[in-house]
Amino acid sequence: MIALTVGEAGPPGAQVQQSGVNFALFSAHAEQVELCVFDDNGNEQRVNLPGKTGDIWHGFLEGAKPGLKYGYRLHGPWQPERGHRFNPAKLLLDPYARRIEGQAADNPLFHSGYETPSPLDNAAIALKSVVVDAPYDWQGDAPPRTPWGKTVIYEAHVKGLTLRHPALPPEIRGTYKALGHPVMIDWFKRLGITAVELLPIASMASEPRLQKLGLSNYWGYNPLGIFALELRYASNSQNAINELRDAVKALHQAGIEVILDIVLNHSAELDIHGPTFSLRGIDNAVYYWLQDDGDYFNWTGCGNTINCSNPVVVEYIHDCLRYWVDTFHVDGFRFDLATVLGRTPGFNAQAPLLEMIRNDPQLRNLKLIAEPWDVGSDGYQVGNFSAPFVEWNDRFRDATRRFWLEHSLPLGDFATRFAASSDIYKRPERAPSSSVNFITAHDGFTLRDLVSFDHKHNEANGENNRDGATINHSYNHGVEGLNADPDTQLRRRISMQALLTSLLLAQGTPMLLAGDEMGHSQQGNNNAYCQDNALTWLDWAQADYALADFVAALIRLRQQIPALSQNSWWEEGDGNVVWLNSQGQPLQSQEWAWEAHRIQILLSGEVLLLANATPEEAQFTLPEGEWRAVPPFAGDDNPVEMSVWHGPAHGVCVFQRSI
């Protein structure tokens, strides 16, 4: 039998010390906590944690070493109406586990019970926490600290980005290791992006419904443990932590930041009928927002909602963020359904968790990106997060799509979104970079699909095409689907170029979806969260490298325009921006309300963007001076000089003053 000494009340989790491992676990309502350790054959030994300091249960296991598999069984009241769902028949993950092994299978043994506790023991199939100690030599690694005004974000999935890349060694494709390979770094540098934003890489589970359908949660927004790295993306699961560290170090050496998409708003335990993995069995009433009858508030659409206003949860999340920064040197976070982080239970921009982040000297200097909505009452909070948070701006997405693909938006609305949505974000202490502009993201159509489909095609998801957004502001140019005649394909390409130009030359922080630069399609699926297959994996063999060169040229141009890179609000007469009509004259007040969809935008007095968002060719008279079309709208060796531009339907061109 194993024996524990009292040990220490912190830090939380399993901490490796010189002569053993200290275990510490919070539970305010448990009556007894058992530490369960497992040998290589799965044999279990249980022992009570002997120490209790406040609500922290703790003990020290002499001789324990990294690699030890463990879990907890908690004894306490079964009072669902009061939120208590203790069931010692269920082995529980350590919320602070740095490594999780096993499969979250769709198995009734994971269910702790509904009205009464399930007596069935699940240790044989349960997920196991693993003690970790992973020293690493960062060799002087330093964060790039790219200024917001110079930042261009590239949103990517670790697996889907590299799994089909023929130039990568086969054994590392789809892994953390591939992210830092010279082939990928060369690609990032070729494009000119400054930050890679990774979809969730914390340990995750596929929902039981998906497993029944033979599908899996590809995107990863269903966390099992927010401290544990997802092992499926490692070429060697035993070295996963260092593989990611190697990648981050290599990216930093190339001047590229790494931002993690992190899910702190719900857990994989889903609703009250869902599985029990950890928090529900450790202290359900503390970790979740509960209704009066003990059921969950489902402000996430995922069955439960983490109570981020509880001081214990605030500390838990604080520790988590610091862990990812300290252990992996990440440069920032994108917070999924970030309204939850500010619920008290209504949204409060000064909520405890948000204030904790602002006041942390390390966290507040990172790139902090909020997805400013959830599905609860008053969940849409675009513009309401305070600095240092910036926000995904879906109003830029929708307005830009409507302007170019539906020609149903007044010029004034387009210009406002182009000017970093100043009506939303121009407030004290907030800069234009507060608006994270995007045309597409992981959730929704890809860029190529946006110009090829009028309707979503999500049948493969198993919900009879009911899932995913119905309103996409897309336009198939007269033919539904990828296959079309050459004229239609040309018009689609012109539209893609217009959308990309509006994204990459607008004020604010641009975010590019990985694959859009190479014409990636998901065959019209606008909710491919459960498609871990060739539908979502980027097909590098079929990449449109000419489109990628177009994107790269735009990013290079963006970095040369002070009106965009200086990250300060445009003011009338400051020379940063001048709005002109198709005749090259300043727009008059009455023209802003028109839906003429022809505009010239002069940036920093030197770069001129001409936009014809009408379905007909249009003639533009350039403003006084000598102008030449610049790459990517004219070849590097053959710039085109002109004073009149005949703009194709849904077309755009960029000019620069001739020297």
Side-chain angles (χ1 to χ4, degrees):
M1 282 293 296
I2 60 173
L4 299 180
T5 56
V6 170
E8 300 171 349
Q15 300 294 325
V16 177
Q17 300 181 6
Q18 187 172 1
S19 60
V21 176
N22 192 79
F23 296 88
L25 179 74
F26 163 86
S27 182
H29 297 100
E31 297 166 352
Q32 176 188 345
V33 176
E34 292 180 294
L35 173 68
C36 310
V37 299
F38 296 83
D39 64 19
D40 292 340
N41 296 318
N43 298 311
E44 177 185 5
Q45 294 188 70
R46 309 182 193 177
V47 61
N48 288 337
L49 287 180
K52 188 170 189 288
T53 304
D55 293 328
I56 306 298
W57 303 75
H58 50 91
F60 183 81
L61 180 57
E62 187 78 25
K65 297 178 180 179
L68 177 69
K69 298 179 183 180
Y70 71 101
Y72 293 105
R73 296 178 186 270
L74 276 76
H75 302 253
W78 180 269
Q79 298 172 336
E81 71 283 357
R82 299 181 61 184
H84 301 315
R85 294 179 175 272
F86 293 97
N87 184 349
K90 307 303 174 183
L91 187 77
L92 304 173
L93 290 169
D94 182 351
Y96 280 79
R98 269 51 169 179
R99 181 182 177 94
I100 294 173
E101 291 188 356
Q103 298 296 319
D106 176 25
N107 191 307
L109 289 178
F110 278 115
H111 293 260
S112 59
Y114 179 49
E115 294 181 349
T116 59
S118 166
L120 301 177
D121 192 284
N122 75 337
I125 68 163
L127 302 163
K128 309 297 193 301
S129 307
V130 182
V131 175
V132 170
D133 184 32
Y136 186 76
D137 183 3
W138 280 98
Q139 300 176 320
D141 174 71
R145 298 288 189 206
T146 306
W148 272 114
K150 289 285 190 178
T151 296
V152 179
I153 298 171
Y154 185 78
E155 189 197 33
H157 187 283
V158 170
K159 181 177 181 180
L161 177 65
T162 64
L163 188 68
R164 303 180 72 186
H165 202 306
L168 289 168
E171 65 273 13
I172 72 166
R173 294 174 190 170
T175 71
Y176 303 119
K177 203 166 188 176
L179 288 174
H181 191 277
V183 165
M184 293 312 302
I185 288 179
D186 287 348
W187 180 254
F188 300 146
K189 298 293 286 184
R190 171 181 172 178
L191 287 179
I193 59 98
T194 69
V196 175
E197 181 178 307
L198 301 176
L199 267 65
I201 58 172
S203 180
M204 61 191 75
S206 290
E207 295 85 343
R209 183 187 65 80
L210 292 181
Q211 295 185 48
K212 288 181 173 68
L213 292 171
L215 300 171
S216 63
N217 190 316
Y218 171 65
W219 288 347
Y221 293 91
N222 197 38
L224 280 170
I226 60 176
F227 284 77
L229 193 62
E230 176 55 50
L231 301 180
R232 287 177 291 180
Y233 304 147
S235 63
N236 177 358
S237 64
Q238 296 302 313
N239 195 42
I241 289 177
N242 285 343
E243 282 192 13
L244 179 59
R245 286 163 157 171
D246 288 344
V248 171
K249 184 166 62 175
L251 289 164
H252 281 180
Q253 289 171 351
I256 298 168
E257 295 181 306
V258 178
I259 299 169
L260 299 188
D261 196 330
I262 193 165
V263 185
L264 306 172
N265 55 77
H266 78 281
S267 83
E269 294 182 317
L270 308 177
D271 61 20
I272 55 176
H273 301 287
T276 293
F277 297 122
S278 181
L279 304 181
R280 175 179 287 148
I282 289 172
D283 210 323
N284 188 62
V286 168
Y287 281 105
Y288 294 111
W289 280 108
L290 301 179
Q291 302 182 49
D292 291 341
D293 62 358
D295 200 352
Y296 297 108
F297 281 106
N298 186 18
W299 297 321
T300 63
C302 301
N304 63 61
T305 306
I306 300 294
N307 186 351
C308 295
S309 71
N310 186 292
V312 172
V313 180
V314 170
E315 182 179 3
Y316 172 54
I317 292 176
H318 183 201
D319 291 344
C320 172
L321 298 177
R322 290 293 295 262
Y323 170 74
W324 287 100
V325 175
D326 293 341
T327 304
F328 298 102
H329 286 200
V330 301
D331 303 283
F333 299 96
R334 181 263 188 188
F335 298 98
D336 181 62
L337 299 182
T339 295
V340 168
L341 278 59
R343 283 195 175 274
T344 62
F347 179 77
N348 178 3
Q350 283 73 48
L353 178 57
L354 301 180
E355 285 295 286
M356 175 278 294
I357 294 173
R358 287 191 197 95
N359 293 326
D360 184 290
Q362 185 179 30
L363 297 180
R364 69 188 179 203
N365 291 318
L366 302 177
K367 286 188 164 65
L368 304 172
I369 305 169
E371 182 185 36
W373 49 77
D374 63 24
V375 303
S377 175
D378 200 28
Y380 188 77
Q381 294 293 333
V382 171
N384 293 330
F385 283 77
S386 303
F389 291 92
V390 303
E391 303 174 17
W392 270 27
N393 185 359
D394 63 329
R395 295 179 66 180
F396 177 94
R397 175 199 65 197
D398 293 348
T400 308
R401 291 182 179 190
R402 288 179 59 197
F403 181 76
W404 284 110
L405 302 180
E406 294 182 341
H407 40 85
S408 63
L409 192 78
L411 279 177
D413 289 2
F414 171 74
T416 298
R417 300 294 152 244
F418 191 90
S421 296
S422 56
D423 59 331
I424 300 173
Y425 296 109
K426 192 174 182 181
R427 303 203 311 263
E429 299 184 4
R430 301 208 81 178
S433 56
S434 298
S435 175
V436 176
N437 300 330
F438 62 102
I439 303 295
T440 58
H442 67 274
D443 187 0
F445 279 142
T446 67
L447 178 65
R448 186 178 176 194
D449 288 352
L450 190 67
V451 300
S452 303
F453 295 90
D454 277 359
H455 309 286
K456 62 183 179 181
H457 296 269
N458 299 353
E459 290 80 6
N461 296 354
E463 297 186 53
N464 296 315
N465 207 33
R466 293 190 302 268
D467 62 308
T470 300
I471 300 175
N472 296 283
H473 306 294
S474 61
Y475 176 42
N476 66 13
H477 293 76
V479 180
E480 185 76 356
L482 299 180
N483 297 324
D485 60 87
D487 180 64
T488 300
Q489 299 288 19
L490 175 61
R491 289 186 287 117
R492 288 175 174 176
R493 189 173 193 85
I494 290 171
S495 288
M496 285 195 294
Q497 291 177 342
L499 289 161
L500 288 166
T501 303
S502 295
L503 171 66
L504 294 170
L505 296 187
Q507 191 178 36
T509 304
M511 185 186 77
L512 181 70
L513 173 64
D516 277 357
E517 79 276 18
M518 61 177 73
H520 175 64
S521 170
Q522 293 175 170
Q523 306 295 321
N525 191 319
N526 74 350
N527 189 34
Y529 76 103
C530 56
Q531 299 298 323
D532 187 2
N533 50 50
L535 188 72
T536 52
W537 306 333
L538 302 191
D539 186 357
W540 291 85
Q542 301 298 319
D544 184 341
Y545 288 103
L547 185 61
D549 289 342
F550 179 89
V551 170
L554 281 175
I555 293 175
R556 286 196 301 271
L557 181 61
R558 175 187 180 83
Q559 302 289 25
Q560 299 167 12
I561 302 173
L564 301 178
S565 62
Q566 64 192 7
N567 196 26
S568 59
W569 291 106
W570 296 340
E571 304 288 350
E572 186 174 355
D574 64 7
N576 282 317
V577 65
V578 179
W579 311 94
L580 306 170
N581 60 24
S582 59
Q583 287 76 48
Q585 300 300 313
L587 278 163
Q588 302 302 308
S589 57
Q590 68 272 17
E591 293 180 287
W592 286 111
W594 293 354
E595 295 188 1
H597 295 98
R598 298 169 186 170
I599 191 171
Q600 301 186 57
I601 306 172
L602 179 60
L603 299 173
S604 297
E606 297 294 330
V607 175
L608 184 67
L609 187 158
L610 282 68
N612 174 32
T614 69
E616 303 87 22
E617 182 178 308
Q619 178 174 300
F620 286 72
T621 301
L622 277 60
E624 194 172 309
E626 296 183 359
W627 299 91
R628 63 176 185 172
V630 298
F633 302 93
D636 292 271
D637 300 325
N638 186 30
V640 179
E641 300 204 22
M642 62 180 69
S643 58
V644 176
W645 177 63
H646 296 277
H650 305 290
V652 67
C653 192
V654 177
F655 293 83
Q656 202 161 20
R657 287 193 187 275
S658 297
I659 299 175

